[in-house]
Amino acid sequence: MVAEHSPQRILLTWADIAAAAASLEPDMRELLLELIRAKNPGVATSVTTADGPWYVKGVHVRGHIGVGEEAVDLDLSPTAGLTIVTARNGTGKTSIADGARHTLSGGTKRSYQVLARNIHYPNRDIVVTLSNGRRDMQIICGADEVVNWRDATGSLSTPPSEWTEAFERYMPVLLYPEMSQVIQDPSNLHAFLKDALELTALEELQAILKTDRDKGTAARRAVEAAQTGALNGIVNVGQAELATMVQNCGAFPEDEAQARILALVETLPESASPPLGLPDKWAVDDGLRERAVRVLTRLDDVGRADAAGATALLGVLQKALAPGDTRLDDLRDRDVCPVCQTAGHEWVRLATEEAGRLRTTTRDLRAATTAAAEALRDLGGCFPAVLGDSVRRTLTQMEDPATELRMMQWDRLVRVAADLTTVTPSVTLLTEALDESADLAAWYGKVRDELLTRRDDVIAAQATVRVHIGSWMDVRARERPAVMRLAVAERLDRRVDRWIRTARENIFAPIGKEVMELWSVLNPDADLKLTGIALTGGTKLRRSVSLDLADGDVALPTGKNSSAVLSTGQRNALSLATYLPRATQPESPFGFLILDDPIHAFDTWRVRYLARHLITLAERFQVVVFTHDDRLWRELRGLGAMPTHIRMDRHGDGRPQVRVRNVASPGIQRLNEIQQILGAEKESPIGTPGAVTAMTLTICRQAVDTEVVAQIEMLGRRIGSPEATVVAELRKARKTLDQLALLNNYARRAGLRAIDVEGFAPTVHALNGAAHGRAPDGEPQLWVRQTRKIIKAVQKVWS
């Protein structure tokens, strides 16, 4: 997919864009030149052409992620070359790499999550020292992660925007969390590659046009909203002819259509139709309900007490007790009952008492009857008024299917309310009627509000339709320039989109070609081939990378999931293949590359392929690789390279520190350690002279064996011997002299010089004797010096 491109004009600067305006249509040209004048791009000195290339001279990290109070200082040679920093997981290598990345980027936001604060020591102190060979500069990062440049006088300043922009474009530091985003989802390749392209001016123009287009879109929506408001008002009034005219002419009518609309508006009536005669709302008052229930219950109780005809009986008793009747007067005098003619039972007293009781009963009944009548009369407001014909017709026109039943319910409750003045209902009947009235009141309240709202809308629309139309025309006149500008801006935006696509394709062509070449370097023996890569999709959204893959000679289907066939190791190789061309563009002001764990998921062969490429890169760049795997350093040595090898480890209890050591030679490292011990032993003896000598010889033998085995492993890689074969031959050569003989064998096969084994035989015998408890006499420092000669000779195999 990376095809040969015919030469096309690429617009990269504002001057290029201004020159291209001449070929545009007049309205687009005028708008573009106006935007360029408003932008007024200055001519800034780019870091890419200023003082580069820059190299890293030192990294000082303290109080950042996994590095606590004890600072880690990484001293580097500020020139092209290769440095391998190895450390076990959890030692702090990524903490140092992240600190360097954050500081060098000018504090650019990370694309990955990290807890940057060290919980044991909050006072962050990161200093990255850079050099271009003529002068040094320092970039520092403090507790708040704010990054500053520090000049020779100690003054601090914000990193120049050209520097931070260049860092984002060329990305000279790549951490594994950034790489893993591509490993986990290769669709992230677009952002990985696109950011490497110098499209700043075109993308700024695109952003400016977006602002113009947003303003024009907002103006168009304002006019459309004004037209919609006017149309709604007209529809509510019921002016079908005017509504049709407004709808058909659109939000931006021509002058003739506008004149017809305004003329028709003048014919609208000035007043609205008469209002509806809607009955008022009502509600069932709980207090009145309780009172009515209470008095009806009382009336019922009193009525039962009068069930025996107390009123009639009272009348008889009152007549019997009233004076003036000769016969009754005689019977009272003789105490003879007028009913049963029995004498001597004090019937007058008994009749008087019974008359008093009946008199009380009839009085209570009259009071209860009066209270019930009053309570029922007061309930009149708890029932609906009579439903008029006009309202009945209005309700009938509603779409609610329950309306007919509701009107029947209404009429029944009106009759119930009328009967309350003549008929005393039971408590049960009254309660049911009031519940039904409350339900109807709730329904009617909503219906009435809806009818009034419709009525209000009609009144408001008819009263303000001229205002709506006038407002619409005013908004149209006000926003018309912005809407007309929008049309031009959209055409110009499409032209800028084509410019970006052209620039993207032409700039990416060499990068894409290099990506495929590097993929071949990292996968020379794989059946899966990368035959094409391109940036595809839009320039704003749905941007993606298209990969053309083939299994042998068979092309694999392309599409969104084409990368799903890649293994984890191949995805890592793909991320490196896309990253390195981006970081090593000739325009980059950075002479360094810092890589964190680039051999993740790599097998031994792919590590070897990467090692070869890093050797080539190190001829032009300062390459610093952080890794937990010694395979890369061994492969580099096996290829004859002499990279600087730095090892980091944690030591100490309580507050562990990260120790940095240069261990390009593991044997020399052990000798340096025993030499330090012997130097301290003079001040504070650690044992008897014989014991010190035995310890020295034992460590010296370990140093020789370690160095020889490391060199054999690297030579085995040099001659292409399988790792299993190398391990088997080392297992057979258990003695030091046998290992030296195996070393010479590999050296000769690699076309390198052999060493004089016999010349070192006495020293080797002495070292072996000490390992078996037969330590010879002699000054320990002498044995160290003799051992150092053996190791130096072993190292000269490569010279």
Side-chain angles (χ1 to χ4, degrees):
M1 192 170 294
V2 179
E4 294 296 329
H5 287 263
S6 58
Q8 299 185 55
R9 185 178 184 185
I10 304 177
L11 309 181
L12 298 181
T13 67
W14 285 101
D16 295 338
I17 297 172
S23 62
L24 298 178
E25 297 172 16
D27 54 353
M28 285 201 296
R29 178 170 64 251
E30 182 179 350
L31 176 58
L32 178 57
L33 293 177
E34 175 190 336
L35 297 177
I36 293 174
R37 286 192 296 269
K39 173 65 180 176
N40 191 24
V43 181
T45 301
S46 173
V47 173
T48 59
T49 58
D51 295 333
W54 291 96
Y55 301 93
V56 180
K57 189 174 183 179
V59 179
H60 168 90
V61 178
R62 183 185 190 194
H64 184 69
I65 309 181
V67 179
E69 183 176 0
E70 299 298 330
V72 175
D73 288 289
L74 197 63
D75 295 323
L76 302 170
S77 177
T79 186
L82 189 55
T83 298
I84 308 298
V85 182
T86 57
R88 295 176 59 187
N89 289 329
T91 302
K93 61 182 184 300
T94 301
S95 302
I96 296 170
D98 177 84
R101 178 217 166 278
H102 183 73
T103 304
L104 286 165
S105 72
T108 301
K109 183 180 179 181
R110 302 173 178 86
S111 63
Y112 52 90
Q113 297 293 324
V114 66
L115 180 60
R117 179 178 175 272
N118 181 272
I119 61 175
H120 300 294
Y121 188 74
N123 301 321
R124 179 183 292 101
D125 177 25
I126 303 175
V127 180
V128 179
T129 303
L130 300 171
S131 176
N132 62 359
R134 299 179 299 278
R135 65 184 180 91
D136 294 351
M137 71 173 182
Q138 289 186 331
I139 309 178
I140 66 172
C141 176
D144 52 2
E145 286 201 276
V146 174
V147 175
N148 287 287
W149 281 29
R150 183 162 60 195
D151 60 22
T153 65
S155 300
L156 301 180
S157 61
T158 302
S161 60
E162 294 88 353
W163 177 276
T164 56
E165 290 171 1
F167 187 95
E168 291 182 17
R169 182 175 307 120
Y170 300 111
M171 203 174 176
V173 183
L174 179 66
L175 270 63
Y176 177 73
E178 296 170 299
M179 191 189 312
S180 66
Q181 296 174 19
V182 177
I183 296 174
Q184 295 169 8
D185 184 3
S187 65
N188 291 322
L189 274 173
H190 187 280
F192 210 53
L193 286 169
K194 182 265 172 189
D195 290 343
L197 307 183
E198 176 61 79
L199 300 175
T200 303
L202 285 171
E203 290 179 342
E204 285 184 358
L205 176 57
Q206 195 176 54
I208 295 171
L209 280 171
K210 182 179 184 303
T211 301
D212 258 32
R213 289 166 55 227
D214 288 345
K215 291 179 180 178
T217 301
R220 183 174 60 195
R221 289 174 179 168
V223 178
E224 290 171 348
Q227 184 218 16
T228 300
L231 182 59
N232 290 339
I234 297 168
V235 170
N236 289 336
V237 171
Q239 294 292 327
E241 180 184 359
L242 181 58
T244 301
M245 186 182 298
V246 170
Q247 188 169 20
N248 290 341
C249 75
F252 300 91
E254 299 295 333
D255 293 341
E256 182 180 349
Q258 178 179 338
R260 290 200 304 272
I261 291 171
L262 294 176
L264 191 54
V265 168
E266 294 300 322
T267 66
L268 292 178
E270 295 289 344
S271 61
S273 57
L276 294 170
L278 296 175
D280 292 335
K281 295 181 183 179
W282 72 92
V284 176
D285 185 277
D286 290 338
L288 295 177
R289 176 201 286 263
E290 292 175 2
R291 176 189 168 204
V293 170
R294 186 171 63 252
V295 298
L296 285 179
T297 302
R298 172 63 178 164
L299 179 61
D300 187 55
D301 293 341
V302 174
R304 283 197 298 271
D306 188 49
T311 303
L313 183 57
L314 176 61
V316 173
L317 290 177
Q318 287 177 337
K319 182 178 180 181
L321 293 174
D325 187 304
T326 305
R327 180 176 173 272
L328 290 176
D329 291 344
D330 177 62
L331 291 176
R332 282 195 296 273
D333 292 341
R334 292 186 295 113
D335 190 21
V336 175
C337 176
V339 178
C340 65
Q341 302 300 313
T342 304
H345 290 286
E346 298 181 341
W347 72 270
V348 174
R349 179 182 62 80
L350 293 175
T352 301
E353 290 177 354
E354 180 63 18
R357 185 186 68 77
L358 291 175
R359 193 176 294 109
T360 300
T361 299
T362 55
R363 185 174 58 249
D364 290 345
L365 179 59
R366 287 195 300 274
T369 302
T370 301
E374 292 177 355
L376 292 175
R377 185 176 60 252
D378 292 342
L379 285 177
C382 297
F383 289 91
V386 176
L387 192 62
D389 292 339
S390 63
V391 178
R392 191 181 298 274
R393 285 192 299 272
T394 301
L395 292 177
T396 303
Q397 295 170 0
M398 295 183 63
E399 297 178 357
D400 187 354
T403 301
E404 189 66 30
L405 293 175
R406 288 292 188 180
M407 288 192 295
M408 294 172 61
Q409 182 185 34
W410 189 305
D411 293 338
R412 185 172 62 256
L413 290 173
V414 169
R415 290 193 297 271
V416 169
D419 290 344
L420 292 179
T421 61
T422 59
V423 179
T424 302
S426 68
V427 172
T428 301
L429 291 177
L430 178 64
T431 301
E432 291 176 353
L434 289 173
D435 290 341
E436 193 174 354
S437 181
D439 176 63
L440 181 64
W443 171 82
Y444 174 66
K446 296 178 181 177
V447 171
R448 187 177 191 275
D449 290 344
E450 181 180 349
L451 292 174
L452 289 177
T453 299
R454 291 180 183 178
R455 170 63 186 171
D456 291 343
D457 288 345
V458 171
I459 294 173
Q462 187 143 304
T464 61
V465 66
R466 291 181 175 82
V467 177
H468 279 303
I469 295 293
S471 175
W472 169 32
M473 296 305 170
D474 290 344
V475 173
R476 170 182 172 274
R478 184 182 71 243
E479 303 295 351
R480 187 171 184 174
V483 174
M484 295 179 64
R485 184 183 178 95
L486 170 63
V488 181
E490 287 178 335
R491 287 164 46 220
L492 181 56
D493 182 72
R494 290 192 289 272
R495 180 63 61 91
V496 173
D497 184 90
R498 292 202 296 271
W499 288 344
I500 290 177
R501 290 176 187 272
T502 299
R504 185 175 68 181
E505 292 171 3
N506 283 271
I507 297 174
F508 183 72
I511 295 178
K513 183 178 180 181
E514 193 172 347
V515 169
M516 291 191 296
E517 291 173 352
L518 187 50
W519 169 267
S520 300
V521 168
L522 296 177
N523 299 270
D525 53 353
D527 292 333
L528 194 63
K529 308 296 182 183
L530 178 64
T531 59
I533 182 171
L535 297 176
T536 58
T539 61
K540 308 181 190 76
L541 301 174
R542 296 186 298 275
R543 299 178 295 188
S544 61
V545 169
S546 175
L547 300 175
D548 291 342
L549 297 168
D551 187 357
D553 296 330
V554 180
L556 298 180
T558 59
K560 182 178 179 181
N561 298 318
S562 61
S563 58
V565 301
L566 300 176
S567 68
T568 302
Q570 288 172 326
R571 291 183 180 190
N572 189 16
L574 179 61
S575 66
L576 283 174
T578 52
Y579 164 73
L580 291 174
R582 165 183 178 171
T584 57
Q585 294 181 76
E587 300 82 7
S588 172
F590 309 111
F592 60 86
L593 298 175
I594 299 177
L595 308 177
D596 176 36
D597 205 8
I599 60 174
H600 171 80
F602 275 11
D603 56 27
T604 299
W605 289 102
R606 193 165 279 118
V607 173
R608 185 170 300 170
Y609 304 147
L610 177 61
R612 289 198 185 102
H613 189 68
L614 291 180
I615 291 172
T616 302
L617 278 181
E619 296 174 0
R620 298 184 293 126
F621 291 89
Q622 176 193 27
V623 182
V624 181
V625 180
F626 289 85
T627 179
H628 68 279
D629 196 334
D630 279 334
R631 290 182 301 161
L632 179 59
W633 178 75
R634 291 173 181 170
E635 292 294 347
L636 290 166
R637 293 290 285 114
L639 293 171
M642 296 290 290
T644 300
H645 189 195
I646 297 174
R647 184 175 296 279
M648 295 167 46
D649 57 25
R650 288 188 180 271
H651 67 99
D653 298 324
R655 292 189 307 174
Q657 303 174 15
V658 178
R659 179 172 55 186
V660 178
R661 297 176 297 161
N662 191 318
V663 291
S665 170
I668 294 297
Q669 181 66 31
R670 288 181 178 269
L671 292 183
N672 291 341
E673 291 174 352
I674 186 59
Q675 205 151 13
Q676 290 179 354
I677 294 173
L678 294 176
E681 198 268 344
K682 293 180 180 179
E683 301 294 332
S684 177
I686 59 176
T688 65
V692 172
T693 300
M695 177 194 68
T696 302
L697 289 167
T698 300
I699 294 179
C700 285
R701 183 195 170 179
Q702 292 174 354
V704 172
D705 288 350
T706 300
E707 187 71 30
V708 172
V709 169
Q711 298 294 339
I712 289 173
E713 290 176 344
M714 290 185 287
L715 286 170
R717 291 177 171 81
R718 177 71 174 268
I719 63 178
S721 182
E723 186 175 357
T725 301
V726 176
V727 171
E729 292 183 343
L730 278 172
R731 189 177 292 116
K732 294 178 182 178
R734 302 184 64 85
K735 296 181 180 180
T736 303
L737 288 176
D738 294 337
Q739 292 173 353
L740 288 170
L742 181 60
L743 174 71
N744 279 341
N745 180 17
Y746 278 28
R748 293 188 185 97
R749 290 168 61 184
L752 302 175
R753 58 184 294 181
I755 67 171
D756 180 13
V757 176
E758 295 300 326
F760 297 114
T763 301
V764 172
H765 286 308
L767 300 181
N768 287 335
H772 294 87
R774 302 187 303 274
D777 296 332
E779 175 66 27
Q781 292 283 6
L782 172 64
W783 295 116
V784 173
R785 289 194 294 272
Q786 291 297 105
T787 303
R788 195 179 295 273
K789 290 179 181 180
I790 297 176
I791 292 176
K792 292 289 187 182
V794 170
Q795 293 175 341
K796 288 182 180 179
V797 166
W798 297 90
S799 60

